[in-house]
Amino acid sequence: MIWDRRYECMEREEMAQLQLERLQSTLNRVYRNVSFYKKRFDGLKILPDEIQSLKDLEGFPLTAKEDLRQSYPYGMFALPLRDVVRIHSSSGVTGKPTVTGYTRNDLHHWSQLTARVLTAGGITKDDVVQITFKYGLFTGAFGLHHGAELIGASVIPMSTGNTAKQVLIMQDYKTTALVSTPSYALLLARYMEAEGMDPKNLSLKLGLFGGEPCPEPMRREIEERLFIRATDNYGVSEVMGPGVAGECERKNGLHLNEDHFIPEIIDPQTLKVLPPGAEGELVLTTLSREAFPLVRYRTRDITSLDFSPCSCGRTLARMKKVLGRSDDIIIVKGVNVFPSQVESILMEVEGVEPRYQIIVDRVEGVDTLEVRVEVHERVFSDEIKNLQNISSKIERKFREIIGVTAKVKLVAPESLQPREGKAQKVVDRR
Ligand code: DLL
């Protein structure tokens, strides 16, 4: 099913024309209304009217999270607050949160875009959708909530926490679609197994995940344990929230809503734009945001883009699952370590969960890497020898696959799970 065939299946040429028109209008609006952009453009002696082709966007300056922090809270809004009807903020994967605002039109577009990704994930008006993201400043819950309502699904705004109640509601209200972080889906699966419940007896058939990486082995595990079909969804609060990109049933990349965002991939070191297919940092320019337009926003997420059409019929570019973040690449003894590599290793080891925390330190000038990993309940009470076997196995894989020496510490189930929100995966004490 495709929610908005007109845009999702648009001819590439027509899409490029639409993007150019919207880009010209966005650049003009930010130049007129946001002093940050006026100063930046003037500094580089560029005028928004000079933009003749999409390629010209490369000549415009990048916007970093730090720029938003310096304009905290409303400095980069392009409209006065009286035109703003909603305010959200980023969960702040790293550092202080940033603020974003929406006009009525922005909210309308947002619902349309989340309806697209929900539809691509298989959700229809016949579904009962349980949303386990936190309702609050985080964009995840409200964004997907309105999209699901627009589709006509029955929405259960559960919010986070209280796993026992989540499962009870899921059972009694006959939830068919779960909206959550992938790690919370695994936690629900484990809870049900520990309680002797068979997830097969639920009405659940779909999982719409996002907000954090969901590597392929993790998706498979969730699908097998909960008996569902799961799709990965990407979004960034600053540019909108969920609804930026989402997988279709082919699960072959996340369709990026290019009529609302222009994606570019840059080399995070040289900041040069890379050719299609190359891996690098995703940069997004908003094309329809009124309250909070952003030009060339550095997401810090590492991915690549595929502009070939998908067999589902959509022509929108597909971004690969996020590999990691350019600012959370941990450089240990000169080796780049992506948290997603750590996840892939853990998914292959029997008896452990893909929930971990990496602690980097420096002892007498030498970098040290400790990885805390949660084990399954049944393994935790096992003999010491078995636990030692597991940690040696992970340590060996670290040496072989990533090329660094890590000290692995196995910890109790659920001890690393935050009560709400996203887990802090990296603690750098250097
Ligand atoms: O997490 C928006 C969202 C909510 C998307 C719910 C999908 C579903 P922020 O809190 O601003 O917004 O965090 C954005 O989270 O830059 C990525 O690093 C990470 N992220 C979000 N979705 C994914 C994903 C929301 N599917 C930051 N895979 C982004 C990997 C993701 N990382």
Side-chain angles (χ1 to χ4, degrees):
M1 285 269 286
I2 296 178
W3 177 253
D4 197 340
R5 213 164 259 285
R6 162 145 168 64
Y7 293 102
E8 292 179 77
C9 307
M10 198 174 233
E11 291 292 332
R12 299 282 327 161
E13 246 174 58
E14 203 187 334
M15 177 63 80
Q17 185 55 36
L18 177 78
Q19 285 183 318
L20 183 59
E21 284 160 20
R22 291 187 175 176
L23 179 62
Q24 283 163 335
S25 144
T26 298
L27 292 174
N28 272 299
R29 273 187 298 114
V30 299
Y31 186 68
R32 261 185 282 119
N33 301 335
V34 184
S35 63
F36 166 82
Y37 283 118
K38 172 143 183 30
K39 273 194 220 130
R40 278 277 171 99
F41 293 3
D42 284 347
L44 292 167
K45 298 196 177 16
I46 36 177
L47 282 172
D49 285 333
E50 283 166 14
I51 192 145
Q52 296 302 325
S53 75
L54 289 174
K55 181 106 183 100
D56 294 342
L57 179 59
E58 285 179 28
F60 282 77
L62 294 157
T63 308
K65 202 172 186 114
E66 200 40 46
D67 299 321
L68 310 193
R69 290 204 179 110
Q70 281 175 11
S71 315
Y72 180 86
Y74 300 136
M76 280 178 70
F77 279 29
L79 288 173
L81 271 187
R82 66 172 174 278
D83 294 323
V84 172
V85 297
R86 178 88 68 76
I87 290 162
H88 277 286
S89 87
S90 140
S91 57
V93 174
T94 47
K96 201 169 128 188
T98 47
V99 183
T100 176
Y102 304 77
T103 61
R104 224 173 273 290
N105 272 337
D106 289 335
L107 287 187
H108 165 77
H109 287 140
W110 194 15
S111 307
Q112 283 290 337
L113 296 192
T114 52
R116 284 188 196 176
V117 298
L118 287 156
T119 305
I123 292 170
T124 69
K125 64 180 174 42
D126 297 325
D127 280 297
V128 178
V129 182
Q130 186 161 331
I131 299 186
T132 71
F133 287 128
K134 190 175 168 70
Y135 280 73
L137 287 174
F138 180 52
T139 52
F142 279 102
L144 290 156
H145 179 114
H146 290 295
E149 279 187 357
L150 189 64
I151 291 174
S154 317
V155 184
I156 309 174
M158 272 301 289
S159 205
T160 42
N162 203 342
T163 304
K165 193 163 174 200
Q166 297 271 6
V167 173
L168 185 81
I169 298 272
M170 208 173 273
Q171 237 173 5
D172 293 352
Y173 294 14
K174 306 201 174 351
T175 302
T176 60
L178 173 69
V179 173
S180 71
T181 54
S183 57
Y184 192 64
L186 269 183
L187 186 123
L188 284 168
R190 201 175 41 215
Y191 173 86
M192 284 188 249
E193 282 156 23
E195 292 294 307
M197 297 163 69
D198 187 353
K200 234 190 211 148
N201 297 333
L202 297 171
S203 308
L204 210 58
K205 58 184 172 55
L206 295 169
L208 196 115
F209 302 127
E212 64 181 18
C214 180
E216 210 49 65
M218 186 178 199
R219 183 223 303 273
R220 268 202 302 280
E221 182 173 354
I222 298 172
E223 290 189 326
E224 281 162 16
R225 284 169 86 169
L226 284 178
F227 305 95
I228 58 173
R229 195 176 87 208
T231 47
D232 188 5
N233 284 272
Y234 173 83
V236 182
S237 306
E238 293 85 332
V239 306
M240 176 169 273
V244 174
E247 281 179 328
C248 65
E249 72 278 7
R250 306 291 148 99
K251 299 175 189 168
N252 190 13
L254 288 75
H255 289 284
L256 200 144
N257 287 312
E258 287 175 281
D259 48 330
H260 291 264
F261 310 99
I262 295 184
E264 294 171 282
I265 298 289
I266 62 163
D267 177 322
Q269 261 81 45
T270 64
L271 308 183
K272 290 265 177 302
V273 174
L274 298 174
E279 216 164 73
E281 184 184 323
L282 178 70
V283 166
L284 293 170
T285 297
T286 64
L287 294 178
S288 62
R289 290 296 297 276
E290 293 180 335
F292 197 67
L294 285 174
V295 178
R296 306 194 78 211
Y297 182 65
R298 293 190 65 179
T299 65
R300 297 287 185 173
D301 294 315
I302 304 290
T303 181
S304 64
L305 297 171
D306 179 353
F307 290 89
S308 65
C310 178
S311 54
C312 72
R314 289 177 183 82
T315 51
L316 298 171
R318 281 169 289 157
M319 62 179 266
K320 258 221 181 97
K321 275 176 172 296
V322 174
L323 265 174
R325 290 181 57 84
S326 68
D327 58 357
D328 134 325
I329 298 174
I330 321 154
I331 305 181
V332 186
K333 295 181 188 160
V335 179
N336 285 1
V337 183
F338 282 102
S340 59
Q341 291 176 306
V342 178
E343 266 150 46
S344 298
I345 289 179
L346 298 180
M347 295 302 291
E348 284 171 16
V349 178
E350 185 65 23
V352 303
E353 295 288 342
R355 196 152 35 239
Y356 63 90
Q357 189 170 50
I358 299 173
I359 296 160
V360 198
D361 212 339
R362 190 162 285 151
V363 180
E364 290 168 6
V366 179
D367 291 343
T368 60
L369 183 67
E370 179 182 304
V371 187
R372 296 184 181 164
V373 186
E374 282 187 15
V375 289
H376 290 327
E377 192 71 59
R378 62 185 150 75
V379 176
F380 196 62
S381 43
D382 249 359
E383 287 174 29
I384 296 277
K385 200 164 123 266
N386 284 348
L387 291 173
Q388 271 168 351
N389 275 342
I390 294 178
S391 38
S392 322
K393 201 172 186 177
I394 303 174
E395 285 172 359
R396 199 178 56 241
K397 278 183 182 284
F398 256 78
R399 276 195 307 276
E400 289 170 3
I401 299 171
I402 306 182
V404 288
T405 309
K407 184 168 170 19
V408 171
K409 192 170 167 190
L410 301 178
V411 299
E414 313 223 344
S415 54
L416 299 176
Q417 167 76 12
R419 265 190 287 147
E420 57 191 39
K422 304 176 193 182
Q424 192 189 356
K425 293 197 172 139
V426 180
V427 179
D428 198 335
R429 298 190 178 138
R430 289 174 294 183

